[in-house]
Amino acid sequence: MAADTSKPFFPTTARTALVPSRGPASRASPEASYWRAFRSSELVSASEFPVTDLTFAPASARATPTLVAAWSTSVHLFSGDPLESLRKISVAGDLAFSPSFRSDGALLAAGDKKGVVRVFRADKAAAGALRTLRAHSAETRVVRYPVAGGDKLHLLTAGDDALLTYWDVPSETPVFTVPAAHRDYIRGGAASPVDHNLFATGSYDRTVKLWDARTGNTGASLSFSHGELVESVLFLPSGGLLATAGGNVVKIWDVIGGGRLVHSVESHVKTVMALALGKMTNTAETRLLSAGIDGYVKCFDFGKLKLTHSIRHPQPLLSVACSPCGTVLVAGSAKGKIYMGKKKKKTVDEEEEESKGVSGDIDWVSPAPRKRELRPSNYRYFFRGQNEKAKDGDFVIARPKKVKLAEHDKLLRKFRHKDALVSALVKKNTRSIVSVMEELVTRRKLVRSIVNLGTVELGLLLEFLFRNATSPRYARFLLGVTNKVVEMRAEDIRSDGKLRGYLRNHKRMIAEEIQIHHTLQGIQGMISPMLALASR
């Protein structure tokens, strides 16, 4: 009998009654909603040179946000609400780097590709440089005015020649210089927000150093290793914590505690190029902003040590900055574009609602409407959203737990066979070590891994074989591995006394095991005739 095709098996349109009535399944956190409120636009997109640095003037210096951007052979000033191009300052035909405002915002200093640092008046840049500081022989990538204490006379500069110079700006003379402050390019620098004598620098030699201007050129007050090429350093508002960016990692250090690592943020997938502080206007809290080659600006709450939001851009980013008032967020790309995010202004109704209040001792507020409680007798009870919490009597299906892999399992997944074997040997878990060896045999990589072991790692392997080669459970497999190790690494074992000691112990243990087997065979020979007679 043919099926009736006049009616479909399933309805073609969804019933509106089946839609959950409790709103969307997932909602953005309040902080994510705050950063999403920034309207994104392109401030500048005419130049093809990378925007290497972005800096806002101090909050006390300007009534409106004032931004300085360095790219090509000049630094550009933007001011107003919204930001508009104000003026362009040419840096003598060379590439400009690292503009820095003085604490009062009246002066602006910038370096260039030839190592010259020039100081301009921010409001009359067309008059030319007020001071010209010449000490560096390569690109000056770090130019920093002191932030705290109202120091208006000094300036710190550093560059690709690894030279660190602390200047007396009015006389154009260096107070002191450190010729080899680092062993490679100096690309990051920051001034302490609590002491105008303290500065931090980061270099491509993977180290970060803290300098005290009061000690002169006697050396760094503190030094620690970031582990990657350092691109940017930044003091957090308290002055006791320092953030460093290098590779795809941002690390936070406790400088008061002697350079102790507090936290490591590995949220970027490519190199992090710049760090900045961003103020949230709704809560007056400060966030650490990081921009990377992957095109993302990450917002990090260093109080709770967690990532709160990510902002994506279409091009690789080299710089990032946030206005002191927290209403403008800018990011500079490697292809000459500056992306500006401006906080949406509140409507008149929203402002009146926030400022509205009733005079008197009691503020009369109408109670919030109470939601109707859903019961099993209600039809909507069975179509609740996934955000609904389970109640007593509900049948809950638990989500399967995520399997936690051991370190050697992760290394095997990455095909790092020798590292997986060494990781298992260090843990000294016999079952895990034998399992890794059997897996390497299956992959035909055990022999290659043994050949690539270093002297210390070979000692770990010989020690493991000495302790477990005669175990009845693993003897057949491990004795074969022992023969291979002795055959392939004979020269290394002869040249190292410690390895020879492991081998002597191994030989003595095997001799004792053979003697035990001979004794057992003799006992078996004596018992066998007796058992035969007894059976008759």
Side-chain angles (χ1 to χ4, degrees):
M1 181 177 178
D4 183 10
T5 59
S6 61
K7 296 181 180 180
F9 287 105
F10 301 101
T12 56
T13 58
R15 293 178 60 187
T16 57
L18 298 179
V19 179
S21 59
R22 291 300 183 95
S26 60
R27 297 179 180 178
S29 63
E31 183 153 346
S33 301
Y34 172 84
W35 291 110
R36 287 178 183 175
F38 281 81
R39 294 178 179 176
S40 181
S41 62
E42 290 185 7
L43 180 62
V44 172
S45 61
S47 174
E48 295 181 356
F49 290 89
V51 183
T52 56
D53 296 279
L54 293 169
T55 306
F56 276 96
S60 59
R62 305 278 177 176
T64 58
T66 301
L67 172 71
V68 59
W71 81 84
S72 183
T73 60
S74 57
V75 291
H76 292 240
L77 285 170
F78 301 88
S79 185
D81 188 12
L83 289 176
E84 295 180 354
S85 181
L86 190 62
R87 65 182 64 88
K88 181 173 72 172
I89 305 174
S90 179
V91 187
D94 294 315
L95 295 179
F97 299 108
S98 188
S100 176
F101 280 103
R102 200 170 69 174
S103 58
D104 59 355
L107 297 184
L108 174 66
D112 66 10
K113 190 174 183 179
K114 293 184 178 179
V116 180
V117 179
R118 295 176 176 84
V119 182
F120 304 89
R121 283 191 60 173
D123 55 346
K124 296 182 179 179
L130 297 178
R131 296 289 186 272
T132 303
L133 312 177
R134 304 177 185 273
H136 299 275
S137 58
E139 298 177 3
T140 308
R141 290 299 189 107
V142 177
V143 179
R144 295 289 181 271
Y145 270 107
V147 177
D151 187 349
K152 302 179 181 179
L153 304 178
H154 298 100
L155 183 69
L156 183 85
T157 63
D160 286 358
D161 55 358
L163 175 68
L164 181 72
T165 307
Y166 189 70
W167 296 89
D168 178 60
V169 178
S171 62
E172 300 184 14
T173 56
V175 178
F176 68 85
T177 60
V178 184
H182 288 270
R183 297 192 304 273
D184 209 331
Y185 299 161
I186 302 177
R187 290 297 176 90
S192 172
V194 294
D195 192 339
H196 65 277
N197 294 303
L198 296 179
F199 294 86
T201 57
S203 168
Y204 275 9
D205 63 358
R206 306 172 188 266
T207 63
V208 178
K209 295 185 178 182
L210 191 69
W211 306 90
D212 191 339
R214 292 167 294 189
T215 62
N217 58 352
T218 56
S221 301
L222 179 65
S223 177
F224 50 88
S225 175
H226 176 83
E228 299 285 347
L229 307 182
V230 182
E231 298 286 353
S232 179
V233 297
L234 180 68
F235 276 99
L236 298 185
S238 64
L241 298 178
L242 181 71
T244 62
N248 65 335
V249 184
V250 177
K251 294 184 179 181
I252 298 177
W253 308 84
D254 181 7
V255 293
I256 297 179
R260 180 179 61 88
L261 179 62
V262 176
H263 191 70
S264 180
V265 188
E266 300 180 9
S267 57
H268 288 268
V269 296
K270 292 186 179 180
T271 303
V272 184
M273 298 300 297
L275 299 173
L277 293 176
K279 181 180 178 182
M280 298 179 63
T281 57
N282 56 349
T283 61
E285 296 180 355
T286 304
R287 296 290 181 263
L288 176 64
L289 307 177
S290 60
I293 299 295
D294 54 4
Y296 279 91
V297 173
K298 304 283 187 176
C299 306
F300 182 73
D301 184 353
F302 51 83
K304 298 180 180 178
L305 299 179
K306 70 174 184 178
L307 192 70
T308 57
H309 191 61
S310 297
I311 305 173
R312 185 179 181 183
H313 295 83
Q315 294 182 356
L317 302 181
L318 298 182
S319 53
V320 66
C322 186
S323 62
C325 57
T327 58
V328 182
L329 177 64
V330 291
S333 75
K335 298 183 179 180
K337 292 186 179 182
I338 299 180
Y339 299 99
M340 179 183 68
K342 193 173 186 305
K343 191 78 170 64
K344 295 178 183 178
K345 291 185 178 180
K346 296 181 179 179
T347 61
V348 177
D349 295 337
E350 291 176 347
E351 291 180 355
E352 290 180 355
E353 186 176 351
E354 288 186 0
S355 60
K356 182 173 62 177
V358 181
S359 60
D361 296 336
I362 301 176
D363 293 336
W364 297 97
V365 180
S366 58
R370 187 175 181 181
K371 293 183 179 180
R372 181 182 176 185
E373 184 179 358
L374 294 179
R375 299 182 180 277
S377 60
N378 195 316
Y379 176 77
R380 290 190 300 162
Y381 174 84
F382 298 98
F383 296 96
R384 295 169 291 171
Q386 67 179 9
N387 288 336
E388 192 74 19
K389 293 183 179 180
K391 298 180 180 179
D392 294 339
D394 290 345
F395 181 75
V396 180
I397 300 177
R399 183 176 296 176
K401 294 183 179 180
K402 186 178 180 180
V403 179
K404 187 175 181 181
L405 297 177
E407 182 68 21
H408 57 264
D409 289 328
K410 296 178 182 178
L411 294 171
L412 285 173
R413 282 192 170 189
K414 298 177 181 178
F415 301 99
R416 295 168 57 182
H417 302 108
K418 188 204 81 171
D419 295 338
L421 178 59
V422 173
S423 175
L425 289 171
V426 171
K427 297 294 183 182
K428 296 184 178 181
N429 187 325
T430 305
R431 186 175 179 181
S432 299
I433 297 172
V434 175
S435 299
V436 171
M437 288 183 175
E438 290 175 345
E439 177 65 22
L440 295 179
V441 170
T442 305
R443 299 187 184 189
R444 299 183 179 180
K445 295 295 181 182
L446 180 59
V447 174
R448 178 64 61 86
S449 301
I450 293 173
V451 171
N452 293 333
L453 290 177
T455 304
V456 178
E457 298 161 348
L458 182 59
L460 291 174
L461 178 59
L462 290 176
E463 183 181 3
F464 166 75
L465 294 174
F466 158 65
R467 296 182 183 278
N468 300 278
T470 57
S471 175
R473 187 174 181 179
Y474 311 114
R476 183 182 296 274
F477 176 71
L478 292 183
L479 286 175
V481 174
T482 304
N483 291 332
K484 278 290 182 183
V485 172
V486 175
E487 179 183 344
M488 292 184 298
R489 304 300 297 269
E491 295 296 331
D492 297 328
I493 295 174
R494 290 194 193 100
S495 60
D496 191 286
K498 190 173 182 180
L499 298 181
R500 289 200 307 271
Y502 285 131
L503 196 60
R504 282 195 301 269
N505 294 338
H506 200 282
K507 185 178 179 181
R508 184 173 62 253
M509 178 193 62
I510 292 176
E512 292 175 356
E513 190 70 20
I514 292 173
Q515 183 64 34
I516 292 172
H517 278 276
H518 287 165
T519 304
L520 291 175
Q521 287 178 349
I523 295 173
Q524 183 181 8
M526 290 186 292
I527 295 176
S528 295
M530 299 173 64
L531 292 176
L533 291 174
S535 62
R536 293 177 184 178

